[in-house]
Amino acid sequence: QVQLVESGGGLVQAGGSLRLSCTTSGGTFSRYAMGWFRQAPGKERDFVCAISRSGGITYYADSVKGRFTVSRDNAKNMVYLQMNSLKPEDTAVYYCAAALAAVSGQVISKDYQYPYWGQGTQVTVSS
């Protein structure tokens, strides 16, 4: 059983930056593909980005491409989301998720394919 805990959320002005972290425990971290999702009030949960087991493959939603960067440190069992040029529409609760990946280069963008989730961290971008 993998446990995930997000941190790093907060209030930032438009154009600013935040770095989210996701600490994992309870599993062999390097066996898991990781993803970030977000959910704004009254909206469905949306895919943000994903990263493969080794970190060599990443995949982004069009809405964040070029502004957000996902990375991972397998030695520290952590995954990060660097968010730059933030916009008010990025306001949401951000979740990290984990799924066992059979293939090292696998990235997963569907939320139903992730069995393990953190509790979320709030990101608010003011205009």
Side-chain angles (χ1 to χ4, degrees):
Q1 185 79 12
V2 177
Q3 291 83 45
L4 309 171
V5 179
E6 303 93 338
S7 61
L11 173 64
V12 63
Q13 289 188 331
S17 298
L18 280 176
R19 188 195 196 203
L20 305 184
S21 298
C22 177
T23 304
T24 72
S25 61
T28 303
F29 182 63
S30 60
R31 297 178 61 194
Y32 290 83
M34 302 295 296
W36 286 95
F37 292 78
R38 66 186 181 186
Q39 188 167 21
K43 296 188 177 181
E44 294 185 351
R45 186 167 56 193
D46 289 333
F47 169 76
V48 175
C49 60
I51 188 166
S52 62
R53 289 180 349 195
S54 66
I57 306 296
T58 57
Y59 179 61
Y60 297 91
D62 288 343
S63 58
V64 305
K65 201 173 296 182
R67 300 188 298 123
F68 290 11
T69 302
V70 60
S71 61
R72 65 189 293 162
D73 186 335
N74 284 355
K76 295 183 178 179
N77 295 349
M78 296 192 67
V79 63
Y80 306 99
L81 181 62
Q82 178 66 43
M83 305 186 295
N84 298 328
S85 302
L86 282 161
K87 305 175 181 180
E89 51 264 43
D90 294 318
T91 295
V93 177
Y94 282 71
Y95 300 90
C96 68
L100 280 171
V103 180
S104 63
Q106 184 179 11
V107 288
I108 303 170
S109 63
K110 304 299 184 184
D111 58 358
Y112 62 82
Q113 293 181 289
Y114 285 96
Y116 306 110
W117 292 82
Q119 84 291 344
T121 185
Q122 176 70 46
V123 171
T124 303
V125 184
S126 62
S127 57

